[in-house]
Amino acid sequence: MKFTKSRVAYGLILGLASLSLNAHAQETNAKQEDKILDEVVSVGTPIRDSQKAAIEAKRSASNVMEVIAADTIGRFPDQNLADSLGRVPGLAIERDQGQARYINFRGMPFRYTAIGFDGIEVPGAEGGRTPRFDSFPAVITRRIEVNKAVLPSMTAEAVAGYVNIETFNPFDRAGVAADFDIGMGEQQLGSGDIEKFGSRLSYSNDNFGIMGFYSKNSREQITDNREYDLEANGAVNSIDIRSYKVKREDEAYGGRIEYRLDNGTRFFISSLYSEFKDFEQRNQYVFNFATAPVGPVIKNAPVYINRLLEDGMYSNSTQTNTLGTDFILAGWDVALRYNLTKTEFTTELPIIYQSGLDFLNGYAADIHLVNLDLTNIEDPILSSATPVDELVYGATSTYAYKINTPLNVDSDKFKVDASKDLSFLGLPSTLSVGAEYTQREAKGENLVAFDVLAFIPAYGGVTLDFNSYLTQQPWDSNTSNSLNLMYWDNAQLRKDWEATGADLFPAASADERTHIEEDILSLYGMVDSQFNWGNVVYGVRIEQTDYTSIGTLVDSDTGEQNAVNYSDDFTHVLPSAHLNYNIDDSLIARVSFSSGINRPNYQEWRAAATVNQTTTPKTVSGGNPALKAEESWGLDATLEYYFAPASIASASVFSRFVDNVIYTDIQNVDGVIYGGQAGEQWELSGPVNGSDGKITGLELNLIAVADDFVPALAGWGLSVNATLVSSEFKTIQNKTLDLPGTSDLIYNASLFYEDYGLSARLNYQYRDEWISPIEDPTEYWGDQSRMDFSVQYILPEGFTGPVSATLYFNANNLTDETDLRYASNHTVNQSESYGRQFLAGVRVSF
């Protein structure tokens, strides 16, 4: 049965009112407390004290988890939460043009990570499943819980793990409190401006609290990009030279209103909006070699040259609102939540494509001679007797290349959790039960249109003078600008293009549309039994999924369209058990068994597709609405040594086994999926299910503060962690491949010093090569490293009065790294650099 949003909301309001009235009739229970750890804000030793808070939270946990405290987040040079998470043992970062974007959790695909705010799981903005951490600035976060082994009370859609982001609460600080963070800096390549602003204002008394926050960060940068199509024998098919002028912004705002009764009951409403925007101008030249000469030094090679000019934007946003109450009813601690979340993901990239090929007449319109020196693959030296900027392209060689991929997801969630202390099997225990009902609707498109004559002179007969858009500004680059390339005024070119009447973002064809309706009902039961040596937590979560994929099947020859309406449902029973054994006061051993699922993203699950009826078998290309959810189970064994208040040494071994691994391939499917005859075999090109996914690894972690051991080194500290990982899965052809996102080795190291109000930290991150895009599991990124530095100074209290003020300076990518990607033949197919980044600012609190 499906419920409308109004029915769910109405039922929730009645339920809240009824249960809250009952709660008032109960006697006050002394055990009802605010269970959130207090935020640590220390004037003297902020790094040490925040590490101590995080370690204590980890120590008291009932599962394998890591914690990042708010103060730690604020005192690293983090642009967003992906940077913060990248220092957690077992977590690695995937970047886009240098900026942290995705998290590979223990080397698994980033789609396997679930994300939530204050215990409410929300859909990821990309594909409706994958979290985009570049949209969440670090300043909104009170602390982060990284759950590596999930409890039954947590979402099951966490094959790799579950990241719970706790936002600030007005009761964290009594009375009136305010925080401001203002910073300015520069991106070294291109001298781009960096601006940072964060603010939070709150008030609370014994019963009432209100809090609001606002954050906005912007970064201007140049990305210097070179892409290659090379053969293993050294033959050169093409060289692609690009310069991106990028402005990236993230903005977040929201707040919380909470009312607490004297008997422990509380009511609250919270809201968070967070958005990331990437404004991008691309200047690009592609040199296609007519004869594929063999390098590395090539003279007078004939090429035809493509020019691409773009002015576009990517964006993703998350809006989540929660209405909730906590109270005691008949001895049960009850928490009710109603959540509305909306995510939006958009890519709008209109590209003017001028080709050296005359596609209408089938020949190379212009051949030029170039010299190429590939001795240094990161800095290819190209020269041409003909100035590349002055190439003239005719109407038959000018096209519009349009990319538009919106996906919007609306999610309604009703959640109830209840727990009660009791005696079970003669042991003091806590019984927890809960239910969750989620409705989601996803709608989107995936338009990539390459339209002949879509620019000149098709719209209004207007022909634009391209030469008038060429500026006299040379490219900013880390590599040699051997062609003396100048930037084009892409923004004005786009405006004039639109003024001709061009439709830059036409509606996608029916085979590229996504429309999914999904209902998920979850139930769980969990027991936490206490022993004199520790505790055991065990239980089961049941998730029932009912979905409908609505689409259109388009005949590639006739254009005939037929509606496809595919529905299915499935149920997963997901047990877990967690043993926590206190060997002594400082040594804890943990063993966990957990299970989970990962549903296909909405574009993979779409029913829309194109079919060729003339082939045998019929061939279909598009989504796969019959795609199965990935299923996993895993084991974790951890030994944690708490040898000092702010220090820990730990070692973990883990394994995960994943069935129905989703990847892209060609497979025979039943044509009934797309409205054909039952039993008729069609050949699908699209997302399919592999098998036998497996990942195993070892994590080592050390955090040590010298004060506890060597007084002469007071103020110094060290944090080091390393993860070794191995993974694989089998394709439908029984071929064994690595899971995307798996680096065999990941490590992080931080050296810090703090005393006399000064805190300084040097941080290094490394990961070796890994596969990134699951669509092409033969491509892989080379090893990457980053070195960052941060220093802060807390002004003396007598200098600032009642206001606490901190001056800071951050430096990112100190070693000016270049990222390399490789093709299946192990030749470099992309090199990318973007320079160092510097930021200085002040934080003020009162």
Side-chain angles (χ1 to χ4, degrees), residues 36 115-122 140-143 145 162-169 172 211 213 255-256 258 266 268-272 320 322 326 335 337 339 415 417:
I36 302 175
I115 187 173
F117 290 93
D118 300 317
I120 302 290
E121 183 253 345
V122 300
I140 70 171
T141 308
R142 188 174 184 272
R143 77 171 192 172
E145 298 174 346
Y162 172 50
V163 177
N164 181 42
I165 300 167
E166 288 188 2
T167 58
F168 285 89
N169 187 291
D172 290 339
M211 182 271 298
F213 62 85
R256 184 182 180 100
E258 186 168 323
R266 69 173 182 173
F268 71 88
I269 183 168
S270 65
S271 180
L272 165 65
T320 182
T322 302
D326 297 339
R337 303 289 187 266
N339 175 265
K415 188 173 187 286
D417 298 277

Side-chain angles (χ1 to χ4, degrees), residues 507-522:
S509 58
D511 61 298
E512 294 288 354
R513 296 173 189 161
T514 299
H515 185 184
I516 308 284
E517 295 177 358
E518 180 183 45
D519 294 351
I520 303 171
L521 177 63
S522 305

Side-chain angles (χ1 to χ4, degrees), residues 536-568:
V536 176
V537 182
Y538 55 95
V540 65
R541 186 179 184 92
I542 301 173
E543 294 210 349
Q544 196 272 340
T545 306
D546 183 353
Y547 74 96
T548 300
S549 185
I550 303 164
T552 303
L553 187 68
V554 180
D555 191 301
S556 61
D557 289 329
T558 65
E560 180 184 353
Q561 298 184 7
N562 292 293
V564 179
N565 198 314
Y566 186 92
S567 297
D568 199 1

Side-chain angles (χ1 to χ4, degrees), residues 156-159 543 570 572 574 595-599 629-632:
E157 202 161 30
V159 170
E543 294 210 349
F570 49 85
H572 288 92
L574 305 164
S595 52
I597 60 171
N598 179 64
R599 299 172 182 87
E630 295 167 298
E631 303 171 348
S632 78

Side-chain angles (χ1 to χ4, degrees), residues 730-772:
K730 288 185 179 179
T731 70
I732 54 179
Q733 288 85 20
N734 210 34
K735 183 179 179 180
T736 300
L737 300 173
D738 289 345
L739 281 170
T742 304
S743 291
D744 292 339
L745 174 64
I746 307 164
Y747 63 84
N748 302 276
S750 296
L751 179 68
F752 66 84
Y753 174 82
E754 61 176 356
D755 207 350
Y756 308 108
L758 179 72
S759 300
R761 189 189 306 248
L762 184 68
N763 185 64
Y764 181 79
Q765 295 180 328
Y766 173 85
R767 66 178 305 185
D768 66 7
E769 62 186 37
W770 79 97
I771 294 170
S772 179

